[in-house]
Amino acid sequence: MSFARLLRRRTVLPGLGLLASPVVARAQNPVRPSPSVESVSMVMPGDITYRGRLFKPLNKGAPSVVLVPDGWGLTPGFEAMGAALATEGILGLVVDMLGGKTARDPQEAEKLARGINADDAGEAVSAWYDWLRNRVEGSQRVAAFGFGPGGRWAVEGSLRKAAHGVTIWSTRIDTPPADLASLYEPSLIGHYSDHDTPSGAVIVAELEGRLRAANRTGYFFRYGARPFFYNPRSPDYDKLDAALAWRRTMTIYRRLWDLPQAG
């Protein structure tokens, strides 16, 4: 994708202004110190242990994000996203839903995701919310980011807690308006490929209707890249669209959570 095309696809949101291009943002930001990271674990009923990687910002009392990977597992690419959250002043927890497994190709990623019980995954994400709120580094503000099938697990877990929004990538959800009403603002941010099944346009139209019925706000963006454009491990990875989706999300949360400009 050309740089000119990237600029044409920047979006204006009500009250948020023009979202900066990630290329320009990187050029303006100095080198940032690396966040500290901690390997963490949590035991759920049934003696099931979930693990994750916690990336800590320099500031205490930071808002938190539970980052839920897709069927590729907790790969270095998702860990890099956790580190990026910390540089934004957010406590970033990248959770492992696959018991340490990572996929070698898209077919294995799909198989691993199908092997996850959605209810169990939602319970785990919900428990991570409580876990984060008990960390001295964090605050009571917790949101979730979910990628591909991880988006469904993130939404399900967030509905069980006082969630401060959910961001999903290439995820079709069927949550009814009554449940969506339990989310705080921003209720939902979605990034979709026009090659999703069904297409991003169809998914967005459905979600917008349910959010209106729930009296909640959604911010939705569509991309010409393939569905797994956000994942560096996937052959569908699109670096520019992935960076653009990330910066759009961070711009919204920086404004809503009153975070300082990163860097």
Side-chain angles (χ1 to χ4, degrees):
M1 181 190 300
S2 69
F3 184 65
R5 180 184 171 196
L6 176 63
L7 292 178
R8 285 198 300 272
R9 295 175 63 188
R10 291 182 295 181
T11 301
V12 176
L13 296 179
L16 294 179
L18 188 62
L19 301 179
S21 159
V23 177
V24 174
R26 281 198 300 268
Q28 294 174 343
N29 288 337
V31 176
R32 305 168 186 169
S34 298
S36 61
V37 58
E38 177 184 349
S39 294
V40 299
S41 63
M42 174 186 64
V43 180
M44 292 286 291
D47 201 29
I48 300 173
T49 300
Y50 286 91
R51 294 182 169 81
R53 298 277 283 168
L54 183 66
F55 294 85
K56 306 175 187 179
L58 297 177
N59 53 303
K60 300 294 184 181
S64 307
V65 166
V66 183
L67 194 151
V68 188
D70 56 20
W72 288 84
L74 205 170
T75 62
F78 285 114
E79 289 200 41
M81 295 180 198
L85 285 170
T87 64
E88 298 278 358
I90 297 170
L91 188 63
L93 173 65
V94 188
V95 298
D96 179 7
M97 307 301 292
L98 302 178
K101 298 176 182 177
T102 55
R104 292 166 293 184
D105 53 50
Q107 293 73 32
E108 186 176 10
E110 183 178 356
K111 180 179 179 181
L112 288 173
R114 285 200 308 266
I116 297 296
N117 181 284
D119 288 337
D120 291 344
E123 286 287 351
V125 172
S126 175
W128 280 120
Y129 267 76
D130 291 334
W131 187 92
L132 278 168
R133 286 182 170 128
N134 286 318
R135 294 289 299 199
V136 297
E137 304 96 334
S139 70
Q140 294 303 302
R141 281 181 166 179
V142 184
F145 290 4
F147 298 80
R152 289 189 291 275
W153 309 332
V155 170
E156 181 62 29
S158 300
L159 294 176
R160 306 177 190 202
K161 297 296 176 182
H164 289 83
V166 186
T167 302
I168 54 180
W169 279 256
S170 288
T171 306
R172 185 183 188 185
I173 60 171
D174 300 312
T175 309
D179 290 338
L180 290 173
S182 68
L183 296 174
Y184 293 168
E185 294 290 353
S187 61
L188 196 61
I189 302 170
H191 302 284
Y192 291 98
S193 163
D194 286 335
H195 301 280
D196 282 323
T197 304
S199 71
V202 172
I203 295 173
V204 168
E206 291 176 347
L207 277 174
E208 286 178 332
R210 275 180 273 142
L211 285 170
R212 282 194 298 271
N215 196 28
R216 288 293 180 266
T217 301
Y219 302 101
F220 299 107
F221 306 92
R222 288 164 46 201
Y223 305 85
R226 303 296 299 177
F228 289 92
F229 69 92
Y230 57 80
N231 191 333
R233 186 69 65 91
S234 169
D236 290 342
Y237 179 57
D238 187 302
K239 185 175 182 179
L240 288 180
D241 275 351
L244 181 57
W246 186 264
R247 296 315 309 167
R248 283 170 164 168
T249 303
M250 287 297 99
T251 296
I252 293 170
Y253 273 99
R254 191 178 299 118
R255 297 287 181 88
L256 290 165
W257 283 356
D258 298 320
L259 296 172
Q261 181 68 32

